[in-house]
Amino acid sequence: MTRFSANLGFLWNDLPLPEAIRAAKASGFHAVECHWPYETDASEIKAALEETGLTMLGLNTLRGDVSAGENGLSALPGRQAEARAAIDLAIEYADAVDAAAIHVMAGKATGPKAHTVFLENLAYAADRTRRTILIEPLNRHDAPGYFLETTTQASGIIAELAISNLKLMFDCYHVGRSEGDVITRLTDLFLIVGHIQIASVPYRRQPDHGELHYPSIFSAISELGWRRPIGAEYKPDGPTEGSLGWMHQYAR
């Protein structure tokens, strides 16, 4: 049976995080993940996870000044102190809630200096924790100017650093928007994948919409030997509960 994780950045995002965790459990999810949980006391998240028996699969480092359009700090030259403070905060929070992974957000940057800074900050993060450090390419339509754009770029960084707990966040939505050929890309990169996420292409709705054929993708994921929950990171086209028919269908 395919298992799924509720991304609480998009699902039940009208609820406080502890209540969203309980809603995910009640709806049949096997795990949860989030974006930026830092305004919620970690003890409340930990209590909700223990109550429901769900695992927190991951969280993101802070984006920086969101009002100024920032979307991560770790590839920004001259911002290393802020980037590492964001990494330290994410590790502290992940330790408190026993999150499996931390997505280190690169931010909007370009060029060789950004590449060098990103690698230095990733090495710092990976050295500070045994938890999985994830990097995720974001498509140019949703995140113009983001440093990490493709799986080819991401896999090159992972190969260059050769750090055992640095992995790729393979988001079928972003790959579908930027590169296409999702199953082939996933198959080729499978050995460095640390987490898989899903949403429809092109509108990031529930995965029984759009142009990607998720039954085929789920079959390929299973054949590759993936046994962990797959992250449902989509924007419901209404109340979350009304968008979950796809999950009960595919879980069978």
Side-chain angles (χ1 to χ4, degrees):
M1 181 180 73
T2 305
R3 297 183 299 150
F4 297 100
S5 167
N7 189 294
L8 303 179
F10 291 151
L11 305 184
W12 292 288
N13 62 5
D14 57 330
L15 297 178
L17 268 177
E19 292 307 312
I21 291 169
R22 296 181 179 100
K25 173 65 174 182
S27 294
F29 283 95
H30 289 86
V32 293
E33 55 203 65
C34 56
H35 289 161
W36 303 282
Y38 305 104
E39 293 184 2
T40 303
D41 191 286
S43 64
E44 296 180 35
I45 303 300
K46 182 67 172 176
L49 293 171
E50 290 177 347
E51 174 190 326
T52 58
L54 298 182
T55 300
M56 177 68 74
L57 293 189
L59 50 87
N60 297 345
T61 56
L62 290 171
R63 290 174 287 181
D65 186 351
V66 178
S67 66
E70 291 186 338
N71 197 24
L73 298 166
S74 290
L76 277 57
R79 305 284 294 278
Q80 289 94 323
E82 293 169 77
R84 295 187 180 191
I87 289 167
D88 290 342
L89 176 63
I91 291 171
E92 180 182 2
Y93 202 99
D95 287 345
V97 302
D98 197 20
I102 296 163
H103 170 207
V104 174
M105 298 197 67
K108 297 178 181 180
T110 188
K113 287 186 178 179
H115 178 85
T116 298
V117 167
F118 192 40
L119 265 64
E120 290 173 351
N121 285 326
L122 290 174
Y124 173 86
D127 185 59
R128 298 274 292 177
T129 182
R130 293 182 179 180
R131 301 182 191 279
T132 300
I133 300 299
L134 295 170
I135 58 174
E136 179 183 20
L138 304 184
N139 77 78
R140 64 186 181 277
H141 308 287
D142 291 353
Y146 195 75
F147 173 75
L148 194 60
E149 294 184 313
T150 68
T151 55
T152 298
Q153 183 187 7
S155 63
I157 288 170
I158 291 170
E160 187 173 351
L161 284 172
I163 296 171
S164 60
N165 62 329
L166 177 62
K167 300 290 184 180
L168 172 67
M169 175 107 76
F170 191 98
D171 189 322
C172 296
Y173 166 74
H174 286 298
V175 176
R177 289 280 272 158
S178 292
E179 305 172 50
D181 207 6
V182 170
I183 291 175
T184 299
R185 295 303 296 151
L186 178 60
T187 301
D188 290 346
L189 296 164
F190 187 70
L191 292 179
I192 62 168
V193 171
H195 187 43
I196 299 171
Q197 294 178 326
I198 58 171
S200 69
V201 172
Y203 299 118
R204 207 170 195 175
R205 299 301 187 190
Q206 46 266 44
D208 54 356
H209 290 48
E211 65 191 42
L212 292 182
H213 188 250
Y214 273 104
S216 297
I217 292 173
F218 292 147
S219 178
I221 290 171
S222 179
E223 289 174 7
L224 286 167
W226 187 265
R227 297 293 179 263
R228 285 170 277 170
I230 297 167
E233 192 187 32
Y234 67 89
K235 299 176 181 179
D237 56 2
T240 298
E241 284 86 354
S243 75
L244 298 176
W246 66 271
M247 185 177 69
H248 304 301
Q249 173 188 350
Y250 292 143
R252 290 196 296 269

